[in-house]
Amino acid sequence: MNLTSPFSIALIIITALAFLGLPIGLSMMAGSILYLYLAGADMGTVAEQFLNGMYSNYVILSVPLFILAAEFMNIGSMTERLLAFCNVLVGRFRGGLAHVNIVQSIVFAGMSGSAVADAAGSGRMMQAMMTKNGRYTPSYAAALTAVTSVVGPIIPPSIPMVIYALVSDASIGYLFIAGMVPGLLMAALQMVQVAITAHRKNFPVEEPVALREIPRITLRAFPALMMPVVLLGCIYTGITTPTEAAALAAAYALVISLVIYRSISWGAFYDSTLLSAKSSASIGLLIAGSLVFNYVVTIENIPETIKVMLTSWDLSPTSFLILVNVLLLLLGCVLEGTAILLIIVPVFIPTAQALGIDMVHFGVVVVVNIMLGLVTPPYGLLLFIMTNISGAPVRDIIRDAMPFILWMVVSLIIITFMPDFVLWLPRLLGYQG
């Protein structure tokens, strides 16, 4: 690579600005503007790409709406009621609260689509419940909450899958369906690890819920439990698009918390709206920067160049997927997941298509890799969030998370090399891939 070429200089500037602390979205915009200046291209192209990309992609609107739905869910009593219901299901087993932590992640997965929202919302409550009276160490509770939150964006709805659909033009509906079985597999393997550890360390058994209490607890949680049913049912029956369903999810969470549970104050409503706006703006800035930078990448013909290079290596679909997994797992240790989806993944897509790899299957593989990056050291975002919530040293959280991470890698291997395992449910519902 010529280090004095406009593209090389742009990459150096983007990297330098990012290391200096400038948001990666702004760094990509700055580097792209410099590239266009050095290449003698029209500087107005930056604004054109930004506006065309942000305003012509209707699917982007679902991202802030899913974030808003998660915030409305967390400020109401929905979380508390759902945790009580999960305790009815699995709390009676040894290590019951640890199992509850996993089951609640499955339930919340059908509502928010964000691992960070799950960890910061229900995860905070699970941390307090598990460490009460010293039943579990803070580091184990934090590690478990971090790895279970990863399940959220794999089971639909999923913000990372929405972003992948944006860059790959794959069907969001079928991506959502394809994530169900892999997400449940990952949760099941996490429960296996909890059961092994529970018997080895003699974890406590929670007091069983009286049979007469079960109908009352279920009834209290029923409106919240219907949220994923309403959300996914509207998508898969064709009543709404995924973006419209995201708006419906936010409205449903607000109505349930405000009208039925009556658990939202005006102050909490304002705070949650403000927080979701900040989170949405952060993601929007990253998407905007990537749209401009991807235009630069297209001008430089980088995807086609990489496609030709990988084709010359005579890679099979299996060896290509192994290469992608290794690269994404390594990048996930040092880069934020959305940045990987918007910058790195589009480069792989032409080669994946040329090799005949199904785009829905490839999307699930990519998203699982991205989610693993949230809990892999040294820069796993969920590890630092749970360190802040629990007060436990990050090294202890990493130690307790490692057995779960190994099971998650096993899940990734199954998902990667058994595409029919991922695609059988979408095909059952009409997918032709």
Side-chain angles (χ1 to χ4, degrees), residues 326-346:
V326 171
L327 289 175
L328 292 183
L329 287 174
L330 291 175
L331 289 170
C333 293
V334 295
L335 288 178
E336 197 271 332
T338 306
I340 296 174
L341 276 169
L342 291 168
I343 303 170
I344 307 298
V345 172

Side-chain angles (χ1 to χ4, degrees), residues 8 149 158 176 197 223 236 252 283 354 371 374 377 389 392 404 414 421:
S8 298
S149 297
S158 167
F176 281 2
T197 309
Y236 299 138
Y252 186 88
I283 295 176
M371 293 302 100
L374 292 175
I389 290 174
F404 295 99
I414 295 172
F421 177 78

Side-chain angles (χ1 to χ4, degrees), residues 306-423:
I306 292 179
K307 174 184 172 182
V308 171
M309 181 184 69
L310 293 176
T311 303
S312 68
W313 292 357
D314 198 25
L315 293 173
S316 67
T318 300
S319 56
F320 173 76
L321 287 173
I322 293 173
L323 176 63
V324 169
N325 277 327
V326 171
L327 289 175
L328 292 183
L329 287 174
L330 291 175
L331 289 170
C333 293
V334 295
L335 288 178
E336 197 271 332
T338 306
I340 296 174
L341 276 169
L342 291 168
I343 303 170
I344 307 298
V345 172
V347 175
F348 291 131
I349 288 175
T351 306
Q353 291 173 328
L355 291 172
I357 296 172
D358 184 87
M359 283 293 98
V360 170
H361 173 235
F362 188 63
V364 174
V365 172
V366 165
V367 169
V368 171
N369 271 286
I370 299 295
M371 293 302 100
L372 270 169
L374 292 175
V375 290
T376 49
Y379 298 114
L381 179 60
L382 291 179
L383 299 176
F384 291 107
I385 289 175
M386 293 314 302
T387 296
N388 182 57
I389 290 174
S390 67
V394 68
R395 64 178 180 275
D396 293 343
I397 296 177
I398 292 172
R399 179 200 64 211
D400 289 332
M402 285 310 298
F404 295 99
I405 293 174
L406 293 176
W407 280 114
M408 291 159 71
V409 171
V410 171
S411 301
L412 176 60
I413 292 171
I414 295 172
I415 293 164
T416 300
F417 300 116
M418 297 179 63
D420 290 338
F421 177 78
V422 176
L423 296 174

Side-chain angles (χ1 to χ4, degrees), residues 151-430:
V151 174
I154 300 172
I155 298 175
S158 167
I159 291 175
M161 286 186 180
V162 171
I163 296 174
Y164 171 80
L166 173 68
V167 300
S168 69
D169 204 29
S171 165
I172 298 178
Y174 287 126
L175 278 169
F176 281 2
I177 298 172
M180 287 184 180
V181 175
L184 293 174
L185 169 68
M186 190 172 289
L189 293 179
Q190 290 175 348
M191 295 186 80
V192 168
Q193 178 58 41
V194 166
I196 293 171
T197 309
H199 284 87
R200 189 174 72 243
K201 295 188 175 182
N202 197 31
F203 282 169
V205 177
E206 303 305 311
E207 185 176 342
V209 178
L211 289 176
R212 65 178 180 276
E213 291 293 315
I214 294 178
R216 182 184 65 83
I217 294 173
T218 304
L219 185 62
R220 291 181 74 241
F222 183 76
L225 289 170
M226 287 301 295
M227 181 174 171
V229 176
V230 172
L231 173 62
L232 300 178
C234 287
I235 293 175
Y236 299 138
T237 57
I239 296 175
T240 66
T241 65
T243 302
E244 292 165 346
L248 179 63
Y252 186 88
L254 179 60
V255 170
I256 293 299
S257 297
L258 188 62
V259 178
I260 298 180
Y261 293 158
R262 299 180 181 179
S263 56
I264 294 182
S265 65
W266 283 111
F269 173 81
Y270 173 80
D271 290 341
S272 65
T273 306
L274 183 62
L275 183 59
S276 65
K278 290 179 178 178
S279 300
S280 301
S282 176
I283 295 176
L285 183 64
L286 185 56
I287 293 174
S290 70
L291 288 170
V292 178
F293 182 68
N294 285 341
Y295 174 73
V296 172
V297 170
T298 302
I299 293 176
E300 286 289 314
N301 209 23
I302 300 298
E304 187 63 27
T305 301
I306 292 179
K307 174 184 172 182
V308 171
M309 181 184 69
L310 293 176
T311 303
S312 68
W313 292 357
D314 198 25
L315 293 173
S316 67
T318 300
S319 56
F320 173 76
L321 287 173
I322 293 173
L323 176 63
V324 169
N325 277 327
V326 171
L327 289 175
L328 292 183
L329 287 174
L330 291 175
L331 289 170
C333 293
V334 295
L335 288 178
E336 197 271 332
T338 306
I340 296 174
L341 276 169
L342 291 168
I343 303 170
I344 307 298
V345 172
V347 175
F348 291 131
I349 288 175
T351 306
Q353 291 173 328
L355 291 172
I357 296 172
D358 184 87
M359 283 293 98
V360 170
H361 173 235
F362 188 63
V364 174
V365 172
V366 165
V367 169
V368 171
N369 271 286
I370 299 295
M371 293 302 100
L372 270 169
L374 292 175
V375 290
T376 49
Y379 298 114
L381 179 60
L382 291 179
L383 299 176
F384 291 107
I385 289 175
M386 293 314 302
T387 296
N388 182 57
I389 290 174
S390 67
V394 68
R395 64 178 180 275
D396 293 343
I397 296 177
I398 292 172
R399 179 200 64 211
D400 289 332
M402 285 310 298
F404 295 99
I405 293 174
L406 293 176
W407 280 114
M408 291 159 71
V409 171
V410 171
S411 301
L412 176 60
I413 292 171
I414 295 172
I415 293 164
T416 300
F417 300 116
M418 297 179 63
D420 290 338
F421 177 78
V422 176
L423 296 174
W424 76 269
L425 187 55
R427 286 169 177 162
L428 192 64
L429 297 176

